[in-house]
Amino acid sequence: VNSCAHVPVELDWQEGDFFDLTGHYLICATHGAHYEPSSGHCVMGPCKGKRLQPLEMRERDGNIYLIQHPKE
């Protein structure tokens, strides 16, 4: 989910622009929190130790699908 683990704001610097200059970390444009793309864990910033909320995706026949879960 495109929402910082520190304060619920979108991460993008500009629409669709999430990564640092090295391309290794997702960065929150508001707080500077750094997240590992593979796990969503915050490795630097005000929410260190927390993580982004994951979305379950599936790839089939060259298409990517978001798996919707019923709300609890």
Side-chain angles (χ1 to χ4, degrees), residues 39-69:
S39 67
H41 284 102
C42 181
V43 294
M44 186 170 68
C47 54
K48 187 173 181 179
K50 294 184 181 180
R51 66 181 292 207
L52 299 172
Q53 181 181 348
L55 294 173
E56 188 176 354
M57 311 294 278
R58 294 283 190 263
E59 187 271 329
R60 186 175 60 224
D61 301 324
N63 296 305
I64 298 174
Y65 298 93
L66 172 64
I67 307 301
Q68 296 288 337
H69 292 280

Side-chain angles (χ1 to χ4, degrees), residues 2 10-19 26:
N2 183 9
E10 290 185 348
L11 300 173
D12 330 32
W13 295 92
Q14 295 179 12
E15 188 172 339
D17 188 8
F18 300 93
F19 286 90
L26 297 164

